[in-house]
Amino acid sequence: LVPMNAAQVAALSQIQAQAIVHARKTNGTPQQVQTQIQLQAQALVHAHTQAQIAAGIYKGDASKDVKMNSAQQQECAALKAKQKREKGVLKPDQATEMAQMDHVHKQQLEELNATFRKQNAASAAAAAKPAASISTAMVSSSSMSSSMDDSPLDAAPSATSPQFLAKLHSTLNGFWTDQLHQIQSLPPSTEQDFKTHNDLPLARIKRIMKSDEDVRMISAEAP
């Protein structure tokens, strides 16, 4: 792992999120794609931050770069007060213990800041969802009211739309045509080849046949 600060983690996560979302080739409006990128980037930021903290190489910024609400400020103040009490127990000549405690306290603050960033990102994403829904509805309404607009919609068609049914029909035709070609291209086989084919064992076939209430006896030889 390469030591990174919060800004570097955010930049790396944004690049990775864009690559992941675009590789999925999702059908949706630009607003929906951007929302997916933001959510993916938030998850990557959390994962990268936790990995950096676990490895002890996170170059986390000070808490001033985190916009905290009143509850978060109280939680941060309580943690700092607790750390101050813990340091007050140590004596001045305990330099090694003091350094270890400083390292632990720094990790605690970084983890708390990462938690605050995750909470703030989740709140921002939740606030962005209604706006994205309203924007999508406005786009759909304007496209329906404008009869001269021939540009296709970016949203995926419904399961009952003619476009979807035509695409489904074309895909199924292509699939079964390919299957037919594969069957026709099989090499010729003899009756003995059919009898010695072991993909469907005879004993298993007999058990399946006996599960039928109307079947009483099965011949020992069933080619």
Side-chain angles (χ1 to χ4, degrees):
L1 293 176
V2 178
M4 292 185 292
N5 56 29
Q8 293 170 334
V9 169
L12 175 63
S13 301
Q14 185 69 19
I15 295 173
Q16 291 177 337
Q18 291 176 355
I20 292 172
V21 173
H22 291 156
R24 293 174 183 165
K25 296 181 180 179
T26 55
N27 294 325
T29 64
Q31 293 85 352
Q32 292 173 336
V33 173
Q34 189 62 30
T35 300
Q36 293 179 9
I37 292 175
Q38 292 177 357
L39 295 176
Q40 185 68 48
Q42 292 162 11
L44 289 172
V45 166
H46 177 68
H48 286 315
T49 302
Q50 293 299 321
Q52 293 270 321
I53 293 174
I57 59 175
Y58 183 55
K59 299 163 59 177
D61 298 338
S63 59
K64 62 182 181 181
D65 66 343
V66 181
K67 295 181 179 179
M68 296 183 289
N69 55 35
S70 58
Q72 292 172 342
Q73 290 176 357
Q74 293 177 0
E75 187 175 354
C76 183
L79 177 60
K80 290 182 178 180
K82 177 184 176 183
Q83 292 176 349
K84 186 176 180 180
R85 290 193 300 269
E86 292 176 350
K87 291 182 66 175
V89 177
L90 297 178
K91 297 180 181 180
D93 58 347
Q94 295 176 310
T96 303
E97 291 80 358
M98 185 73 70
Q100 293 177 350
M101 184 170 291
D102 288 339
H103 180 69
V104 172
H105 289 173
K106 182 179 179 181
Q107 284 187 338
Q108 291 175 348
L109 286 174
E110 290 172 353
E111 291 175 357
L112 185 62
N113 290 337
T115 302
F116 290 162
R117 292 190 188 95
K118 183 180 178 181
Q119 292 174 352
N120 296 340
S123 300
K129 286 182 179 179
S133 301
I134 294 174
S135 176
T136 303
M138 293 176 62
V139 171
S140 301
S141 176
S142 62
S143 61
M144 291 175 61
S145 61
S146 177
S147 59
M148 300 301 294
D149 187 6
D150 295 330
S151 60
L153 293 176
D154 292 332
S158 64
T160 57
S161 64
Q163 296 89 345
F164 177 81
L165 294 177
K167 184 177 180 180
L168 177 62
H169 183 69
S170 175
T171 303
L172 289 175
N173 283 341
F175 171 77
W176 288 116
T177 301
D178 182 64
Q179 294 296 314
L180 179 61
H181 290 334
Q182 292 183 14
I183 294 174
Q184 291 175 345
S185 61
L186 291 175
S189 58
T190 62
E191 182 179 353
Q192 186 63 29
D193 294 334
F194 177 77
K195 291 182 178 180
T196 57
H197 193 67
N198 295 325
D199 282 355
L200 296 175
L202 184 60
R204 186 177 301 176
I205 296 176
K206 288 184 176 181
R207 284 199 300 269
I208 297 174
M209 295 173 65
K210 288 179 180 179
S211 63
D212 191 344
E213 297 178 356
D214 297 333
V215 176
R216 301 299 181 207
M217 298 179 60
I218 301 176
S219 174
E221 296 294 334

